[in-house]
Amino acid sequence: MLVRLRLKEIHRYWELIHDSLVTSMCPTGDVNPDQMNFILAELLSGRMQAWAVFNGESKSFSAMLVTSMFEDLPTKTKNFVLYSLTAYKPLGAEEYISSFETLKKFARAAGCTRMIAYTENERFVKIMLKLAEQLGGKSMHFISIPLWN
């Protein structure tokens, strides 16, 4: 079951959230201490959200997600962004779909019209492509090139 972490839980699990971000962060950001402190501040302010897929039987996390929202300036479209996703155990398609429904409800309530996801997790890509096809979404390549190398 996907649950949104509260402020106390963000503090408690910051190392786990941090490590999740380091391994799966959106390709538009950099992984350095300053950036991670900015993300922590955004999480604590509520402008970003931390989520966990909680396994009630083993009382452990199966996955960690960080989300945010952004407005596309030219179109004024508010988007819900799956900023990072780390699965600690293989998730079934049902868990992905159930988690998607939870995120969709949250995003709709916040006024978002689309969900955008960045990932290198092939299983997640396959499931989300199938879901996008069913719901009239689309997929395209994203390229991120550092300019200071």
Side-chain angles (χ1 to χ4, degrees):
M1 169 176 46
L2 181 70
V3 295
R4 183 174 174 193
L5 301 183
R6 298 176 302 228
L7 291 179
K8 279 201 288 192
E9 294 164 326
I10 291 169
H11 280 290
R12 181 177 177 187
Y13 297 111
W14 172 240
E15 281 189 45
L16 186 62
I17 296 166
H18 175 279
D19 292 348
S20 169
L21 285 161
V22 167
T23 60
S24 67
M25 192 162 95
C26 167
T28 60
D30 293 321
V31 178
N32 65 52
D34 287 339
Q35 299 294 338
M36 298 310 274
N37 284 333
F38 293 147
I39 290 172
L40 176 58
E42 293 295 298
L43 287 167
L44 296 175
S45 75
R47 287 185 297 268
M48 291 183 88
Q49 304 79 38
W51 306 79
V53 176
F54 187 71
N55 183 331
E57 293 173 15
S58 64
K59 296 187 179 178
S60 63
F61 295 132
S62 299
M64 181 69 64
L65 297 84
V66 174
T67 61
S68 66
M69 294 170 221
F70 88 94
E71 184 178 311
D72 182 65
L73 295 176
T75 64
K76 302 294 186 213
T77 304
K78 191 172 182 183
N79 296 282
F80 184 71
V81 180
L82 183 53
Y83 195 76
S84 73
L85 164 66
T86 301
Y88 304 111
K89 301 175 186 172
L91 300 176
E94 310 80 38
E95 285 179 293
Y96 279 112
I97 300 302
S98 170
S99 296
F100 171 77
E101 290 298 325
T102 299
L103 294 172
K104 183 170 81 172
K105 286 178 190 172
F106 177 83
R108 279 184 173 174
C112 295
T113 59
R114 294 198 169 275
M115 180 184 291
I116 298 170
Y118 302 101
T119 185
E120 294 176 332
N121 180 313
E122 288 301 319
R123 180 165 169 70
F124 179 71
V125 168
K126 287 177 184 174
I127 290 168
M128 292 307 286
L129 284 174
K130 186 175 182 179
L131 188 61
E133 182 179 303
Q134 292 171 352
L135 298 175
K138 64 181 179 179
S139 170
M140 56 181 37
H141 294 281
F142 180 87
I143 300 166
S144 175
I145 301 169
L147 299 177
W148 297 104
N149 289 348

